[in-house]
Amino acid sequence: MTAHSPTSLTSPPAIETVGLTKVYGSGNTEVVALRDVSMTIERGEVVALLGPSGSGKSTLLSAIGLINPPTRGEIRIDGQVVMNGSRALVDVQRFRREKLGFVFQKSNLIPFLTALENVLVALAIAGREGRSARRRAMDLLASLGIADRARNLPSALSGGQQQRVAIARALANRPSLLLADEPTAALDSKLGRQVMELFRDVGHENRAGVLVVTHDQRALDVFDRSLRLEDGVLSEHAGSGATTLTSTHST
Amino acid sequence: MNLAVRDVRYNIGRFLLTAVGLGLLLMIVMGMGGIYAGIVADATLLVDQVESDLWIVQRDTRGPFAELSRLPSSVEDRARAVPGVADARRFVTHTIQRNHRGKPLRMTIVGLAWPGDRGAWLPITAGRSLAQGHYEIVADQTLGLAVGDRLKLGKDEYRVVGIVNNMLSSGGDGIAFMTVSDAQAVQFDAVGEATRLERAARRNRAGQDDLGLVQPGLLERASRPASAIPALGPPMVSAVLVTLKPGVDADEVRATMEGWADATVYTSDEQRELLLRGPVDRARRQIGLFRVLLVAISAIIMSLILYTMTLDKLHDIALLKLMGARDRMILGLVMQEAFLLGAIAYVLAYFIGERLFPFFPRRVIVTGDMLIWLAIAVAVICIIGSSLGIWKAMRIQPNEVLS
């Protein structure tokens, strides 16, 4: 792990949730996916989120990503309250393009765009086009070691290269928070570890909070700390070194 | 960044194939309009070209283009005697089909009032107009005849002396121009045996009549050719065309002629209108309905194509939304592809049509107005066609990416 110190004292956390609860259905069919989840991820902090299938990891990720609003609780991004319960207090689309970056299990690259264009499209969505945007995209691809594949379509890239392009795209707009949903599930363990290390490095270098949902416990040493979600309840993962997590829920 | 162009570039084969299919469909829509314009132009061509002020036709008929019209040729002389008339000429038209070089040759014959009318007004592209009173033809190029070709019609052989362009009847048949007397000879041609039988029957009828019995000279005359018997008169004509002197009131002349028991008079505009409301009107309505159907079919097909193209991209659209893309970016992607498809199909329709329409059996006239109309129709189809895809794209949620 590279030397790193979260920047909580100088800037607001990348993400902060307070009493986040998500309930699906009602009555007999009611399912509580998240129970009073409170957590903080500082800028530059790289956090793993573990948990069995159905524990609520993806629900938490989509709530933080402003995709699937919570039933109760509050979400603050960069110190600004963006969700209060299911009510959005900001322009969600604008917040997603300016503050958040997403990486998925599959790279989800747009098949008709080249690697470079896949990064450029994120910049175009944020209103950045032209030479500076191109330079930024090329710099990102170069920093991830795939500048030579910039003009290739996704179909001509290996799984690892595709995932690197996806990371470059997620970082294009210098997001406060990078959310990754099992980004190494489709990769072999060696490549998976490389990608995890990449997350750690880009999180630290770009001062972005990084939350990575993963099943792979072998790469946990890469992260600053690990959280565990089970039956919608968030807790500090055993063996996790850091203690910046604020978990308010007790069972 | 133009996503539509990049998506098209990625799926260029499928996109072009779709555009070609749509282009062919639009070409048919364009062709339908062109065929209608061709029918109208062909139908009114003669009326417009012969430049007569009044058409005298058989009483209570709508003239030779709409139905059979037979008029005594003496009407020509009667018309000349009416004050205000500068000129009157006989007009004969009928359609025949003969074998020529082993193939059926269908043509509309129009008789020119020789020697006053030698066809100088015809748009001759090769050869010349008529130079003698018999056995010469000026033929439309669609008949496939060349200057110098000889054609056997009835008992006589006619020589093609000139070729004209786009001189077609309302039925789409090429016109062959000859003198009125030649046209009548072709029209009333009968084989020798039939002529001999007719003369024998005439003599027999005269022989049974008191007049024939007391005047043997009549019996002798009855055996002669019809043209030699004054009582039978010359053959009928289809119409008589009247040109008025400058400044003469056409209604006044017309009122005089309408007093004749055997004639009805139309102005050129009325004759033209009768043509358009008669045989052409049904074709117009039929083609109009067919065009509406084709436009509707094009719109449905285009909607389905655009909807399918959008469905193929739903995951990418959800991803763009997840990344915070504005609605107008998604809208632009779908709409631009729709307009690109429409524009390529339109251009293809135009160029394919331009090369294909000359081979159509009927004249296809594509006018500027028609092209503008079709461009507007394609634009409307693009908007309607893409609306289903846009509706689907707008409904897709960003979390679809996670599923």
Side-chain angles (χ1 to χ4, degrees), chain A residues 67 93 97 104 108 117 129, chain B residues 1 6 315 319 322 324-325:
Chain A
I67 299 166
Q93 273 183 313
R97 65 176 167 259
F104 310 95
N108 276 323
E117 287 166 346
E129 289 190 86
Chain B
M1 177 183 289
R6 282 164 174 83
H315 187 266
L319 180 72
L322 183 72

Side-chain angles (χ1 to χ4, degrees), chain A:
Chain A
M1 190 188 293
T2 56
H4 163 69
S5 61
T7 53
S8 56
L9 295 176
T10 55
S11 59
I15 178 81
E16 191 176 1
T17 68
V18 180
L20 217 57
T21 300
K22 178 69 183 179
V23 180
Y24 291 108
S26 60
N28 291 337
T29 59
E30 183 178 286
V31 175
V32 182
L34 296 176
R35 294 173 189 273
D36 202 14
V37 172
S38 298
M39 58 174 277
T40 302
I41 298 175
E42 301 294 342
R43 273 182 162 264
E45 190 177 24
V46 183
V47 178
L49 179 62
L50 302 163
S53 294
S55 60
K57 302 188 298 295
S58 293
T59 302
L60 178 60
L61 209 66
S62 62
I64 295 171
L66 310 179
I67 299 166
N68 194 4
T71 310
R72 287 188 297 277
E74 199 174 87
I75 299 171
R76 293 179 199 145
I77 295 176
D78 255 358
Q80 186 176 356
V81 180
V82 292
M83 294 291 286
N84 192 348
S86 59
R87 194 160 59 94
L89 303 177
V90 293
D91 178 349
V92 169
Q93 273 183 313
R94 188 174 67 84
F95 241 78
R96 274 208 298 265
R97 65 176 167 259
E98 289 177 359
K99 303 281 186 183
L100 302 177
F102 296 89
V103 180
F104 310 95
Q105 184 175 335
K106 289 188 292 176
S107 62
N108 276 323
L109 297 178
I110 296 174
F112 54 83
L113 300 179
T114 63
L116 177 65
E117 287 166 346
N118 263 287
V119 182
L120 282 173
V121 77
L123 291 162
I125 284 170
R128 291 178 61 191
E129 289 190 86
R131 220 173 274 174
S132 68
R134 203 173 181 82
R135 200 179 311 120
R136 165 81 179 146
M138 279 307 293
D139 287 348
L140 277 167
L141 291 175
S143 70
L144 293 164
I146 45 168
D148 58 326
R149 309 309 300 269
R151 298 193 188 285
N152 287 108
L153 288 171
S155 56
L157 302 176
S158 70
Q161 287 169 332
Q162 287 182 19
Q163 205 58 292
R164 282 162 191 256
V165 176
I167 293 168
R169 180 179 64 188
L171 292 171
N173 291 314
R174 303 181 199 280
S176 310
L177 184 64
L178 186 62
L179 302 170
D181 191 5
E182 301 188 37
T184 59
L187 307 176
D188 61 49
S189 57
K190 188 182 171 192
L191 199 56
R193 185 173 180 85
Q194 282 177 7
V195 170
M196 292 299 195
E197 285 172 351
L198 205 57
F199 275 113
R200 178 196 62 200
D201 295 344
V202 296
H204 291 172
E205 285 161 18
N206 291 281
R207 291 186 61 247
V210 179
L211 180 63
V212 180
V213 170
T214 182
H215 280 297
D216 189 0
Q217 300 207 12
R218 289 171 298 181
L220 287 184
D221 58 305
V222 170
F223 296 92
D224 295 329
R225 62 193 172 103
S226 308
L227 304 175
R228 184 168 186 82
L229 197 62
E230 203 151 351
D231 294 332
V233 179
L234 189 71
S235 60
E236 193 80 32
H237 181 63
S240 177
T243 55
T244 49
L245 167 76
T246 309
S247 182
T248 57
H249 186 82
S250 58
T251 53

